[in-house]
Amino acid sequence: MNFRPSRRTRRLAITTAVVLALAGANGPWLYRVGSDKYHDYKINKAEYKAANGHWATLRIPSEYKINTIHAALLHTGKILLVAGSGNNQKNFDAKSFRSVLYDPAKDTYRNIPTPKDLFCSGHTQLPNGDLLIAGGTKRYEKLKGDVTKAGGLMIVHNEDPDKPITLPAGTRFTGKENGRVFVSKDPVLVPRATKVFDKSTGRFLRNDPGLGRIYVEAPLAGQQHETGTQDNYRISGLKGTDVRNVYGMAQKLALDKKDFQGIREAYEFDAKAERYITVDPMNEARWYPTLTTLSDGKILALSGLDEIGQLVPGKNEVYDPATRKWTYTKGVRQFPTYPSVFLLQNGKLFYSGANAGYGPDNVGRDPGVWDVDTNSFVKVPGLGDASDMETAGTVRLPPSQSQKFMVLGGGGVGESAKSSDKTRIIDLSVPNPAFKDGPSLSEGTRYPESSILPDDSVLITGGSKDYRGRGGSNILQARLYDSESGTMRRVADPTVGRNYHSGSILLPDGRVLTFGGDSLYSDKDNTKPGVFEQRIEIYTPPYLYRGGRPE
């Protein structure tokens, strides 16, 4: 008996042959399309979401898109997104400073008038639920090739024990040996000298001069105005004994790179009135400072670059919400910029060693426990890669009473391509605490983000293998760490890369918001300048696909 295939069977066979022929010529394309479609199908299946969670990108109206550098959840349930100038000098020059208030419950946005450039400020919660924001940007950095006028740090000495002195902006400093002239950019208050006596005899020994720090610059451009060695400087406009008692000293004043400069301004953000309120400025200007709430409700501000682009020389200060004023802490303690500092149950502070980098690579980098009241500092050992703490993340592991912390990833100092795939865990509740390695990340990770979830797991996501995502090194992966079992598992992957200037926040409904990302380049070959990531992505954890929120 002869078998003749039906018309439908013949049509299917022809279609299959055509597909197979196309597959032979364009296999990778067909595979990629099929793979992407399957991936979308897979990640949207109910059972996948229940096991791994799900990511979705917000639809933000164009008038509310900003370069979010900082963000904070307010007690109203809204999110304050802060850009300031958004790491964009054109915005800075135009005095275009931005903040946006996002309501995740209603999916609404509102522009908030922003008084100063809060780009790279510090912020933390106040006891009444409002937000304290302090510091920010006074001047953008200038790379060495862009600097046209020689300049740098001038230390003004005042040997008069009876009075301080204020030098106005525009004060001229003339070198006694080199004869070169430099002009101050801002006013400076120089405190009076301190009389020093012999403790045993009470005999007067000397006057220790009061010191003021000011940025000076040559009035004219050119290499001929540079200096190479230290010199004393006469100050114009002085009269009487001030001519002898007040003088300047400076090291090299040159066409070197000029770092960012900080501001002293501080603000409370009133969460109910939804506006910034000016409070007393800090004693020190700070760019890249850390703000930490202390056990008495006061706020500690530490580190940062000052108004002349130098690391604040260990002068830390405390804000009192009752008086809205700042006072210095006891003694001097120096840290790199944006040090990761956490309050412990005994009122002391834990510094994990993680930081944002500005500052000497051999000063203030060791992790330890700091007693602010006595200024004593006890180092903690065990970091196997102590030189890779720059751009690392730190999270207090749940429950907080356990006094355990995890340090995530990190990299080498400065623009180093070196990155760490380590997590390090320390238990500060035991005698003689020391770091131990935890589960490894998939690869070296700078700028990792972490959020503690209500089921006591930790979401770890974002980051890049190289400095600021160079070479297309953003890591599109997410993991959940179980602090009880000490295990980590991979979950649904984010779709938006995050590195420098990024962060994550747990929302009141149990989801996680991720924002920011400031890649140095926008291509893998590092030929095109980067574009700030304005998209906001929200992760819905597995527990929200399992029949309700955790309690």
Side-chain angles (χ1 to χ4, degrees), residues 215-414:
Y215 181 81
V216 297
E217 194 173 75
L220 300 175
Q223 291 182 339
Q224 67 271 26
H225 301 288
E226 288 187 302
T227 71
T229 58
Q230 177 176 297
D231 198 359
N232 283 20
Y233 288 79
R234 297 187 300 271
I235 300 174
S236 63
L238 299 181
K239 297 179 181 180
T241 58
D242 288 343
V243 175
R244 182 182 68 254
N245 288 330
V246 184
Y247 55 93
M249 291 187 68
Q251 302 286 337
K252 179 182 178 184
L253 299 173
L255 299 174
D256 295 336
K257 173 181 178 288
K258 310 302 180 188
D259 283 324
F260 283 91
Q261 293 177 347
I263 60 176
R264 287 184 169 86
E265 281 82 352
Y267 304 90
E268 289 187 10
F269 186 81
D270 188 319
K272 291 183 178 178
E274 298 181 348
R275 65 187 181 93
Y276 289 101
I277 298 172
T278 303
V279 299
D280 269 13
M282 294 181 289
N283 294 303
E284 301 290 329
R286 299 180 190 272
W287 185 90
Y288 266 28
T290 290
L291 267 61
T292 299
T293 305
L294 301 175
S295 56
D296 59 3
K298 296 178 182 179
I299 308 299
L300 173 70
L302 58 157
S303 194
L305 300 185
D306 63 15
E307 70 273 25
I308 54 176
Q310 302 284 317
L311 187 71
V312 175
K315 295 182 177 181
N316 306 303
E317 52 191 306
V318 170
Y319 176 77
D320 186 342
T323 62
R324 291 181 169 173
K325 295 183 181 299
W326 298 85
T327 56
Y328 284 116
T329 61
K330 183 177 181 178
V332 172
R333 178 70 53 188
Q334 194 167 45
F335 298 92
T337 54
Y338 276 149
S340 292
V341 175
F342 298 82
L343 178 67
L344 300 176
Q345 287 180 352
N346 59 10
K348 297 180 182 180
L349 296 174
F350 170 59
Y351 167 51
S352 73
N355 63 85
Y358 285 89
D361 60 5
N362 60 350
V363 177
R365 303 248 172 185
D366 294 320
V369 176
W370 179 28
D371 187 329
V372 179
D373 293 334
T374 63
N375 196 34
S376 62
F377 189 89
V378 179
K379 297 178 183 179
V380 292
L383 277 179
D385 53 352
S387 62
D388 295 339
M389 288 298 102
E390 200 159 296
T391 68
T394 309
V395 59
R396 184 197 304 269
L397 293 176
S400 61
Q401 294 85 351
S402 68
Q403 305 269 350
K404 289 183 180 180
F405 294 84
M406 173 185 276
V407 179
L408 304 155
V413 174

